[in-house]
Amino acid sequence: MTVPTPIPAAKPVIDETDIEAAVRVLRSGMVVQGPEVKAFEDEFAPVANAAHCVAVNSGTSALHLALLALGIGPGDEVIVPSFTFAATANAVRLVGADPVFVDIQRDTFNIDPAAVEAAIGPRTAAIMPVHLYGLPADLPRLTAIAEQHGLAIVEDAAQAHGAAIDGRQVGAWGQAGCFSFYPTKNMHSLEGGMVSTNDAEFARQVRLLRNQGMEQRYANEIVGTNTRLTDVAAAIGRTQLSRLHGWTEQRRSNAAALDAGLSGITGVTVPPVPDGLRHVYHQYTIRVVERDAVSAKLAALGIGNAVYYPTPVHRLRPFLVDGAADPRWQLPETERAAAEALSLPVHPALSDSDIQRIIDGVAVVEASAVASAS
Ligand SMILES: *Cc1c(COP(=O)(O)O)cnc(C)c1O
């Protein structure tokens, strides 16, 4: 049997436009943080609906510096989902604070505001919602809860460039938004990240933290890091940003085609999108039972797919207590999602025939699963 050309699960764009942008800056000889970074920040701000943006060298650095700039540290708790990439909780630990893991909503895979409210205690300093797979978390409810309890919100928007609620983009609903420009994200700068905010003084603190605590050279004001972005990376980020909207529309139309083809298949739940939310489909994630078998069978058909995330963060080694998950975290929806979630290709490079192959592949695999179960 011949296996057709595999459809990759993700396909980062590095084309001539990116290469020319990088070469232009390399030839200039001015490669470290400079005018390209400043322009990238100014151009990204409208995407995050934010007054200020500060570019850094990764999404993880964005999260880390945002928490540092808020003064969060030892003795503080930060409420996070466990169904996310480890970077979210790592940032909390890196500042010496304690992550408090809460459960997600079944439909959206996103942090459950009721669970957030129940987890608030005297040490709670902030809430870090993740807009998982590109679908906004319930920011209207979360910001109301944060306001009522005097907490900061730091959005992990690493997967959600341009996602919106009732037309208002994610990124500056609370104190800060944190974006990633890793190659597989909706746009990239090779590696890179961005902190978005409406608070000028907070933005200044992040700028200081990014550059050894200096605004004026050798007039260090605070202890800081070197988490700067290069101008080469920023130039790539800028050309990627100019194409983001088109790519997002392509992701959304790919997702609509997958929805139409997959929603009738027994055993498959397509990703629901609540009214008013603009999903930017960093991932197109279905739920299936016998997920690992389905994943392997699709891969054998040349249909790339991936599991984000097979292990909830509270079960990863750095977050265990005496070698086991902390019994404080009872997260049934998180466990269920970790067992059922399966991400299918949705990237802008898919052709119509790729999409049809994905739909047909899932139908065949599910039909055989139903047949063997009966
Ligand atoms: C990618 C990602 C990050 C980290 O971004 P990097 O640029 O890889 O450091 C953080 N949180 C989530 C949810 C992510 O998907």
Side-chain angles (χ1 to χ4, degrees):
M1 190 181 94
T2 58
V3 177
T5 322
I7 303 170
K11 197 160 187 292
V13 177
I14 299 178
D15 62 16
E16 282 308 314
T17 323
D18 301 290
I19 292 165
E20 278 165 22
V23 167
R24 174 172 53 78
V25 176
L26 285 167
R27 287 201 198 286
S28 79
M30 316 239 297
V31 295
V32 299
Q33 182 184 296
E36 292 289 334
V37 167
K38 174 76 174 76
F40 187 28
E41 293 172 342
D42 292 346
E43 288 163 8
F44 194 80
V47 175
N49 194 28
H52 312 276
C53 273
V54 183
V56 291
N57 63 355
S58 74
T60 307
S61 296
L63 293 166
H64 186 191
L65 298 197
L67 293 178
L68 285 174
L70 280 166
I72 292 173
D76 292 327
E77 289 179 349
V78 178
I79 298 174
V80 296
S82 175
F83 194 58
T84 177
F85 184 49
T88 318
N90 280 346
V92 176
R93 275 284 176 80
L94 283 170
V95 301
D98 297 316
V100 169
F101 293 104
V102 302
D103 215 351
I104 54 170
Q105 297 169 317
R106 184 172 305 178
D107 281 355
T108 63
F109 295 104
N110 276 330
I111 197 164
D112 180 349
V116 168
E117 200 152 27
I120 293 171
R123 298 204 288 129
T124 310
I127 307 167
M128 286 176 79
V130 180
H131 308 307
L132 200 70
Y133 307 142
L135 181 68
D138 189 346
L139 288 169
R141 277 178 73 192
L142 291 168
T143 49
I145 292 166
E147 235 161 73
Q148 194 188 331
H149 295 270
L151 306 174
I153 287 195
V154 175
E155 298 169 49
D156 182 338
Q159 305 184 353
H161 320 71
I165 303 173
D166 295 330
R168 178 176 165 193
Q169 288 107 312
V170 304
W173 285 67
Q175 188 66 24
C178 300
F179 293 84
S180 166
F181 306 123
Y182 183 75
T184 58
K185 301 291 159 81
N186 290 28
M187 59 167 284
H188 73 84
S189 61
L190 306 179
E191 295 267 12
M194 194 74 83
V195 179
S196 52
T197 184
N198 284 326
D199 179 338
E201 180 49 32
F202 177 85
R204 193 180 103 83
Q205 286 300 313
V206 176
R207 282 196 189 94
L208 289 173
L209 288 163
R210 159 179 82 174
N211 188 30
Q212 313 289 2
M214 298 188 291
E215 196 163 44
Q216 310 279 333
R217 188 176 286 197
Y218 309 130
N220 304 60
E221 299 176 40
I222 58 172
V223 171
T225 64
N226 172 3
T227 42
R228 297 182 301 259
L229 192 69
T230 67
D231 257 19
V232 179
I236 295 173
R238 292 179 68 197
T239 168
Q240 292 260 325
L241 179 58
S242 72
R243 293 171 287 168
L244 174 67
H245 185 75
W247 289 336
T248 302
E249 288 307 311
Q250 190 61 53
R251 285 177 182 273
R252 287 168 52 80
S253 97
N254 292 347
L258 289 167
D259 279 347
L262 295 172
S263 48
I265 300 174
T266 312
V268 173
T269 307
V270 300
V273 182
D275 281 349
L277 298 199
R278 175 176 166 83
H279 197 325
V280 296
Y281 293 101
H282 169 59
Q283 300 293 344
Y284 181 89
T285 304
I286 61 172
R287 286 176 183 268
V288 282
V289 291
E290 306 287 346
R291 189 266 324 275
D292 293 338
V294 172
S295 167
K297 286 180 189 166
L298 287 174
L301 293 172
I303 297 169
N305 64 89
V307 175
Y308 306 108
Y309 297 90
T311 308
V313 176
H314 76 283
R315 293 194 177 282
L316 295 175
R317 198 192 304 190
F319 301 97
L320 300 181
V321 175
D322 297 329
D326 189 326
R328 279 190 296 165
W329 320 131
Q330 298 297 324
L331 311 173
E333 291 300 335
T334 296
E335 309 285 358
R336 181 175 168 149
E340 293 182 349
L342 184 66
S343 297
L344 301 173
V346 73
H347 54 80
L350 294 178
S351 66
D352 290 348
S353 71
D354 290 336
I355 292 172
Q356 196 55 49
R357 251 180 76 200
I358 296 165
I359 292 165
D360 294 344
V362 173
V364 165
V365 167
E366 281 297 318
S368 76
V370 170
S372 65
S374 58

Coordinates of all heavy atoms in Angstrom, one line a residue, residues 117-195:
E117 N -13.1 31.5 41.1 CA -13.6 32.2 42.2 C -13.5 31.3 43.5 O -13.1 31.8 44.5 CB -15.1 32.5 41.9 CG -15.6 33.6 42.8 CD -16.7 34.4 42.2 OE1 -17.4 33.9 41.3 OE2 -16.9 35.6 42.5
A118 N -13.7 30.0 43.3 CA -13.6 29.1 44.5 C -12.2 29.0 45.0 O -12.0 28.6 46.2 CB -14.2 27.8 44.1
A119 N -11.2 29.2 44.1 CA -9.8 29.0 44.5 C -9.2 30.3 45.1 O -8.0 30.2 45.6 CB -9.0 28.6 43.3
I120 N -9.9 31.4 45.2 CA -9.3 32.6 45.7 C -9.1 32.6 47.2 O -10.1 32.1 47.9 CB -10.2 33.8 45.3 CG1 -10.1 34.0 43.7 CG2 -9.7 35.1 46.0 CD1 -11.1 35.1 43.2
G121 N -8.0 32.9 47.7 CA -7.7 32.9 49.1 C -6.9 34.1 49.5 O -6.7 35.0 48.6
P122 N -6.5 34.2 50.7 CA -5.8 35.4 51.2 C -4.4 35.7 50.5 O -4.0 36.8 50.4 CB -5.5 35.1 52.7 CG -5.8 33.7 52.9 CD -6.7 33.2 51.8
R123 N -3.8 34.6 49.9 CA -2.5 34.8 49.3 C -2.6 35.0 47.7 O -1.6 35.3 47.1 CB -1.6 33.6 49.5 CG -1.3 33.4 51.0 CD 0.0 32.6 51.2 NE -0.1 31.2 50.8 CZ 0.7 30.6 50.0 NH1 1.7 31.2 49.4 NH2 0.6 29.3 49.7
T124 N -3.9 34.9 47.2 CA -4.0 35.1 45.8 C -3.6 36.5 45.3 O -4.1 37.5 45.8 CB -5.5 34.8 45.3 OG1 -5.9 33.6 45.9 CG2 -5.6 34.7 43.8
A125 N -2.7 36.5 44.3 CA -2.3 37.8 43.7 C -2.8 38.0 42.3 O -3.0 39.2 41.9 CB -0.8 37.9 43.8
A126 N -2.9 37.0 41.6 CA -3.3 37.1 40.1 C -4.0 35.9 39.6 O -3.9 34.8 40.2 CB -2.0 37.4 39.3
I127 N -4.6 36.1 38.5 CA -5.2 35.0 37.7 C -4.5 35.0 36.3 O -4.4 36.1 35.7 CB -6.7 35.3 37.5 CG1 -7.4 35.5 38.8 CG2 -7.4 34.1 36.7 CD1 -8.9 36.1 38.7
M128 N -4.1 33.8 35.8 CA -3.5 33.7 34.5 C -4.4 32.9 33.6 O -4.1 31.7 33.5 CB -2.1 33.2 34.6 CG -1.1 34.1 35.1 SD 0.5 33.4 35.3 CE 1.1 33.4 33.6
P129 N -5.4 33.4 33.0 CA -6.2 32.6 32.0 C -5.3 32.4 30.7 O -4.5 33.2 30.3 CB -7.4 33.5 31.7 CG -7.0 34.9 32.1 CD -5.8 34.8 33.0
V130 N -5.5 31.2 30.2 CA -4.8 30.9 28.9 C -5.9 30.8 27.8 O -7.0 30.2 28.1 CB -4.2 29.5 29.0 CG1 -3.5 29.1 27.7 CG2 -3.2 29.5 30.1
H131 N -5.7 31.4 26.7 CA -6.7 31.4 25.6 C -6.3 30.2 24.8 O -5.6 30.3 23.7 CB -6.7 32.7 24.8 CG -6.8 33.9 25.6 ND1 -7.8 34.1 26.5 CD2 -6.0 35.0 25.7 CE1 -7.7 35.2 27.1 NE2 -6.6 35.8 26.7
L132 N -6.7 29.0 25.3 CA -6.1 27.8 24.7 C -6.6 27.5 23.3 O -7.8 27.7 23.0 CB -6.5 26.6 25.6 CG -5.6 25.4 25.4 CD1 -4.2 25.6 25.9 CD2 -6.1 24.1 26.1
Y133 N -5.7 27.1 22.5 CA -5.9 26.8 21.1 C -6.3 28.0 20.2 O -6.7 27.8 19.1 CB -7.0 25.7 20.9 CG -6.7 24.4 21.7 CD1 -7.8 23.7 22.3 CD2 -5.5 23.9 21.8 CE1 -7.6 22.6 23.0 CE2 -5.3 22.7 22.6 CZ -6.4 22.0 23.1 OH -6.2 20.9 23.8
G134 N -6.3 29.2 20.9 CA -6.8 30.4 20.1 C -8.2 30.8 20.4 O -8.7 31.8 19.8
L135 N -8.8 30.2 21.4 CA -10.2 30.6 21.8 C -10.1 31.4 23.1 O -9.5 30.9 24.1 CB -11.0 29.3 22.0 CG -12.5 29.6 22.4 CD1 -13.3 30.2 21.3 CD2 -13.2 28.3 22.9
P136 N -10.7 32.6 23.1 CA -10.5 33.4 24.3 C -11.2 32.8 25.5 O -12.3 32.2 25.4 CB -11.3 34.7 23.9 CG -11.3 34.7 22.5 CD -11.4 33.3 22.0
A137 N -10.5 32.9 26.7 CA -11.1 32.5 27.9 C -12.2 33.5 28.2 O -12.3 34.6 27.6 CB -10.0 32.5 29.0
D138 N -13.0 33.2 29.3 CA -14.1 34.1 29.6 C -13.7 35.3 30.3 O -13.9 35.5 31.5 CB -15.1 33.3 30.4 CG -16.5 34.0 30.6 OD1 -16.5 35.2 30.3 OD2 -17.4 33.4 31.0
L139 N -13.1 36.2 29.6 CA -12.5 37.5 30.2 C -13.6 38.4 30.8 O -13.3 39.0 31.8 CB -11.7 38.2 29.2 CG -10.3 37.5 28.8 CD1 -9.7 38.2 27.6 CD2 -9.4 37.6 30.0
P140 N -14.8 38.5 30.2 CA -15.8 39.4 30.9 C -16.0 38.9 32.4 O -16.0 39.7 33.3 CB -17.0 39.2 30.1 CG -16.5 38.9 28.7 CD -15.3 38.1 28.9
R141 N -16.2 37.6 32.6 CA -16.4 37.1 34.0 C -15.1 37.2 34.8 O -15.1 37.5 36.0 CB -16.9 35.7 34.0 CG -18.5 35.7 33.7 CD -19.0 34.3 33.7 NE -19.0 33.6 35.0 CZ -19.2 32.3 35.1 NH1 -19.4 31.5 34.0 NH2 -19.2 31.7 36.3
L142 N -14.0 36.8 34.2 CA -12.7 36.8 34.9 C -12.3 38.2 35.4 O -11.8 38.4 36.5 CB -11.6 36.1 34.1 CG -11.8 34.6 33.8 CD1 -10.9 34.1 32.7 CD2 -11.6 33.8 35.1
T143 N -12.5 39.2 34.5 CA -12.1 40.6 34.9 C -13.1 41.0 36.0 O -12.6 41.8 36.9 CB -12.1 41.5 33.7 OG1 -13.4 41.4 33.0 CG2 -11.0 41.3 32.8
A144 N -14.3 40.6 36.0 CA -15.2 41.1 37.0 C -14.8 40.4 38.4 O -14.8 41.1 39.4 CB -16.7 40.6 36.7
I145 N -14.4 39.2 38.3 CA -14.0 38.5 39.5 C -12.7 39.1 40.1 O -12.5 39.4 41.3 CB -13.7 37.0 39.3 CG1 -15.1 36.2 39.0 CG2 -13.0 36.3 40.4 CD1 -14.9 34.9 38.4
A146 N -11.8 39.4 39.1 CA -10.5 40.0 39.5 C -10.7 41.4 40.2 O -10.1 41.7 41.2 CB -9.6 40.2 38.3
E147 N -11.6 42.2 39.6 CA -11.9 43.5 40.1 C -12.5 43.4 41.5 O -12.1 44.1 42.5 CB -12.9 44.2 39.2 CG -12.4 45.6 38.7 CD -13.2 46.0 37.5 OE1 -14.4 46.4 37.7 OE2 -12.7 45.9 36.4
Q148 N -13.4 42.5 41.7 CA -14.1 42.3 43.0 C -13.1 41.9 44.1 O -13.3 42.3 45.2 CB -15.2 41.2 42.8 CG -16.2 41.1 43.9 CD -17.1 39.9 43.7 OE1 -17.2 39.5 42.5 NE2 -17.5 39.3 44.8
H149 N -12.1 41.2 43.7 CA -11.1 40.7 44.7 C -9.8 41.4 44.7 O -8.9 41.0 45.4 CB -10.9 39.2 44.5 CG -12.2 38.3 44.8 ND1 -12.5 37.8 46.0 CD2 -13.2 38.0 43.9 CE1 -13.6 37.1 45.9 NE2 -14.1 37.2 44.7
G150 N -9.7 42.4 43.9 CA -8.4 43.2 43.8 C -7.3 42.4 43.3 O -6.1 42.5 43.8
L151 N -7.5 41.6 42.3 CA -6.4 40.7 41.7 C -6.0 41.2 40.3 O -6.8 41.8 39.6 CB -6.9 39.3 41.6 CG -7.5 38.6 42.8 CD1 -8.1 37.3 42.5 CD2 -6.5 38.5 43.9
A152 N -4.8 40.9 40.0 CA -4.3 41.2 38.6 C -4.7 40.1 37.7 O -4.8 38.9 38.1 CB -2.8 41.4 38.6
I153 N -4.9 40.4 36.4 CA -5.0 39.4 35.4 C -3.9 39.5 34.4 O -3.6 40.6 33.9 CB -6.4 39.5 34.6 CG1 -7.5 39.1 35.5 CG2 -6.3 38.7 33.3 CD1 -8.8 38.8 34.8
V154 N -3.2 38.4 34.2 CA -2.1 38.3 33.2 C -2.6 37.2 32.2 O -2.7 36.0 32.5 CB -0.8 37.9 33.8 CG1 0.2 37.6 32.6 CG2 -0.3 38.9 34.8
E155 N -3.0 37.7 31.0 CA -3.5 36.7 30.0 C -2.3 36.0 29.3 O -1.4 36.6 28.8 CB -4.2 37.5 28.9 CG -5.5 38.2 29.3 CD -6.0 39.1 28.2 OE1 -6.1 38.6 27.1 OE2 -6.2 40.3 28.5
D156 N -2.4 34.7 29.3 CA -1.5 33.9 28.5 C -2.1 33.8 27.1 O -2.9 32.9 26.8 CB -1.2 32.5 29.1 CG -0.2 31.7 28.3 OD1 0.0 32.0 27.1 OD2 0.4 30.8 28.8
A157 N -1.7 34.7 26.2 CA -2.3 34.8 24.9 C -1.3 34.2 23.8 O -1.3 34.6 22.7 CB -2.6 36.2 24.5
A158 N -0.4 33.3 24.3 CA 0.6 32.8 23.4 C 0.0 32.1 22.2 O 0.7 32.0 21.2 CB 1.4 31.7 24.2
Q159 N -1.2 31.6 22.3 CA -1.8 30.9 21.1 C -2.9 31.8 20.5 O -3.7 31.2 19.7 CB -2.4 29.6 21.6 CG -1.4 28.7 22.3 CD -1.9 27.3 22.7 OE1 -3.1 27.1 22.6 NE2 -1.0 26.5 23.2
A160 N -3.1 33.0 20.8 CA -4.3 33.7 20.5 C -4.2 35.1 19.9 O -4.9 36.0 20.2 CB -5.1 33.8 21.8
H161 N -3.2 35.3 19.0 CA -3.0 36.5 18.3 C -4.2 36.9 17.5 O -4.6 36.3 16.6 CB -1.8 36.4 17.3 CG -0.6 35.6 17.8 ND1 -0.7 34.3 18.0 CD2 0.6 36.0 18.2 CE1 0.5 33.8 18.5 NE2 1.3 34.9 18.6
G162 N -4.9 38.0 18.0 CA -6.1 38.5 17.2 C -7.4 37.8 17.6 O -8.4 38.2 17.1
A163 N -7.4 36.9 18.6 CA -8.6 36.4 19.1 C -9.4 37.5 19.8 O -8.8 38.4 20.3 CB -8.4 35.2 20.1
A164 N -10.7 37.4 19.8 CA -11.5 38.5 20.3 C -12.8 38.0 21.0 O -13.3 36.9 20.7 CB -11.8 39.5 19.2
I165 N -13.3 38.9 21.8 CA -14.7 38.7 22.4 C -15.5 39.9 22.1 O -15.1 41.0 22.4 CB -14.5 38.6 24.0 CG1 -13.6 37.4 24.3 CG2 -15.9 38.4 24.6 CD1 -13.3 37.3 25.8
D166 N -16.6 39.7 21.4 CA -17.5 40.8 21.0 C -16.7 41.9 20.3 O -16.9 43.1 20.6 CB -18.3 41.3 22.1 CG -19.3 40.3 22.7 OD1 -19.8 39.4 21.9 OD2 -19.6 40.3 23.9
G167 N -15.7 41.5 19.5 CA -15.0 42.4 18.7 C -13.8 43.0 19.4 O -13.0 43.8 18.8
R168 N -13.6 42.7 20.7 CA -12.5 43.3 21.4 C -11.4 42.2 21.6 O -11.6 41.2 22.3 CB -13.0 43.8 22.8 CG -11.9 44.4 23.7 CD -12.4 44.9 25.0 NE -11.4 45.1 25.9 CZ -11.5 45.3 27.2 NH1 -12.8 45.4 27.7 NH2 -10.5 45.5 28.0
Q169 N -10.2 42.5 21.1 CA -9.2 41.5 21.1 C -8.7 41.2 22.5 O -8.7 42.1 23.4 CB -8.0 41.9 20.3 CG -8.2 41.9 18.8 CD -8.3 43.3 18.3 OE1 -9.0 44.1 18.8 NE2 -7.6 43.6 17.2
V170 N -8.1 40.0 22.6 CA -7.5 39.6 23.9 C -6.1 40.4 24.0 O -5.6 40.8 23.0 CB -7.2 38.1 24.0 CG1 -8.6 37.4 23.8 CG2 -6.3 37.6 22.9
G171 N -5.6 40.5 25.2 CA -4.2 41.0 25.4 C -4.2 42.2 26.4 O -3.1 42.4 27.0
A172 N -5.3 42.9 26.6 CA -5.2 44.0 27.5 C -6.5 44.2 28.3 O -6.9 45.3 28.7 CB -4.8 45.4 26.8
W173 N -7.1 43.1 28.6 CA -8.3 43.1 29.4 C -8.0 43.3 30.9 O -8.7 43.9 31.6 CB -9.1 41.8 29.2 CG -9.9 41.7 27.9 CD1 -9.3 41.6 26.7 CD2 -11.3 41.7 27.8 NE1 -10.3 41.5 25.8 CE2 -11.5 41.5 26.4 CE3 -12.4 41.7 28.6 CZ2 -12.8 41.5 25.9 CZ3 -13.7 41.7 28.1 CH2 -13.9 41.5 26.7
G174 N -6.8 42.8 31.2 CA -6.3 43.0 32.6 C -5.1 43.8 32.6 O -4.9 44.6 31.7
Q175 N -4.1 43.4 33.5 CA -2.9 44.2 33.6 C -2.0 43.9 32.3 O -1.4 44.9 31.8 CB -2.1 43.8 34.8 CG -0.9 44.6 35.1 CD -1.3 46.1 35.4 OE1 -2.4 46.3 35.9 NE2 -0.4 47.0 35.2
A176 N -2.0 42.7 31.9 CA -1.0 42.4 30.8 C -1.5 41.2 30.0 O -2.2 40.3 30.5 CB 0.3 42.1 31.4
G177 N -1.1 41.2 28.7 CA -1.2 40.0 27.9 C 0.2 39.6 27.4 O 1.1 40.4 27.3
C178 N 0.3 38.3 27.2 CA 1.6 37.7 26.9 C 1.5 36.9 25.6 O 0.7 35.9 25.6 CB 2.2 36.9 28.0 SG 2.4 37.9 29.5
F179 N 2.2 37.2 24.6 CA 2.1 36.5 23.3 C 3.4 35.8 23.0 O 4.5 36.2 23.5 CB 1.8 37.5 22.2 CG 0.4 38.2 22.3 CD1 0.2 39.3 23.1 CD2 -0.6 37.7 21.6 CE1 -1.0 39.9 23.2 CE2 -1.9 38.2 21.7 CZ -2.1 39.3 22.5
S180 N 3.3 34.7 22.2 CA 4.5 34.0 21.8 C 4.7 34.1 20.3 O 3.7 34.1 19.6 CB 4.4 32.5 22.2 OG 5.4 31.8 21.5
F181 N 5.9 34.2 19.8 CA 6.2 34.1 18.4 C 7.1 33.0 18.1 O 8.1 33.1 17.3 CB 6.8 35.5 17.9 CG 6.0 36.7 18.3 CD1 6.5 37.7 19.0 CD2 4.7 36.8 17.9 CE1 5.8 38.8 19.4 CE2 3.9 37.9 18.2 CZ 4.4 38.9 18.9
Y182 N 6.8 31.8 18.7 CA 7.5 30.6 18.4 C 7.1 30.1 17.0 O 5.9 30.4 16.6 CB 7.1 29.6 19.5 CG 7.8 28.2 19.3 CD1 9.2 28.1 19.7 CD2 7.2 27.1 18.9 CE1 9.8 26.9 19.6 CE2 7.8 25.9 18.7 CZ 9.1 25.8 19.1 OH 9.8 24.6 18.9
P183 N 7.9 29.4 16.2 CA 7.6 29.1 14.8 C 6.2 28.4 14.6 O 5.6 28.7 13.6 CB 8.7 28.2 14.4 CG 9.9 28.7 15.2 CD 9.3 29.0 16.6
T184 N 5.8 27.6 15.5 CA 4.5 27.0 15.2 C 3.3 27.8 15.6 O 2.1 27.4 15.3 CB 4.3 25.6 15.9 OG1 4.5 25.9 17.3 CG2 5.4 24.6 15.5
K185 N 3.5 29.0 16.2 CA 2.3 29.8 16.6 C 1.7 30.5 15.4 O 2.3 30.3 14.3 CB 2.8 30.8 17.7 CG 3.4 30.2 18.9 CD 2.3 29.5 19.8 CE 2.9 28.5 20.7 NZ 3.4 28.9 22.0
N186 N 0.6 31.2 15.5 CA -0.1 31.7 14.3 C 0.8 32.7 13.5 O 0.6 32.9 12.4 CB -1.4 32.4 14.8 CG -2.4 31.4 15.2 OD1 -2.0 30.3 15.7 ND2 -3.6 31.7 15.1
M187 N 1.8 33.3 14.2 CA 2.8 34.1 13.5 C 4.1 33.9 14.4 O 4.0 33.6 15.5 CB 2.5 35.5 13.4 CG 2.2 36.2 14.7 SD 2.1 38.0 14.6 CE 3.9 38.4 14.5
H188 N 5.3 34.2 13.8 CA 6.5 34.0 14.6 C 7.5 35.0 14.3 O 7.4 35.8 13.3 CB 7.0 32.5 14.3 CG 7.6 32.3 13.0 ND1 8.9 32.6 12.7 CD2 7.1 31.8 11.9 CE1 9.2 32.3 11.5 NE2 8.2 31.8 10.9
S189 N 8.6 35.0 15.1 CA 9.8 35.8 14.9 C 11.0 34.8 15.2 O 11.9 35.2 15.8 CB 9.8 37.0 15.7 OG 9.8 36.7 17.1
L190 N 10.9 33.6 14.7 CA 11.8 32.5 15.0 C 11.5 32.1 16.5 O 10.9 31.1 16.7 CB 13.3 32.9 14.8 CG 13.6 33.4 13.4 CD1 15.0 33.7 13.2 CD2 13.2 32.3 12.3
E191 N 12.1 32.9 17.4 CA 11.7 32.9 18.8 C 11.3 34.3 19.1 O 11.8 35.2 18.5 CB 12.8 32.4 19.7 CG 13.3 31.0 19.6 CD 12.6 30.0 20.5 OE1 11.6 30.3 21.1 OE2 13.1 28.9 20.6
G192 N 10.4 34.5 20.1 CA 10.0 35.9 20.5 C 8.8 35.9 21.3 O 8.1 34.9 21.4
G193 N 8.5 37.0 21.9 CA 7.3 37.2 22.7 C 7.0 38.7 22.8 O 7.8 39.5 22.4
M194 N 5.8 39.0 23.4 CA 5.4 40.3 23.5 C 4.5 40.5 24.8 O 3.7 39.6 25.0 CB 4.5 40.7 22.3 CG 4.2 42.2 22.1 SD 5.7 43.1 21.5 CE 5.6 42.9 19.8
V195 N 4.8 41.5 25.5 CA 3.9 41.9 26.7 C 3.1 43.1 26.2 O 3.6 44.1 25.7 CB 4.7 42.3 27.9 CG1 3.8 42.6 29.1 CG2 5.6 41.1 28.3

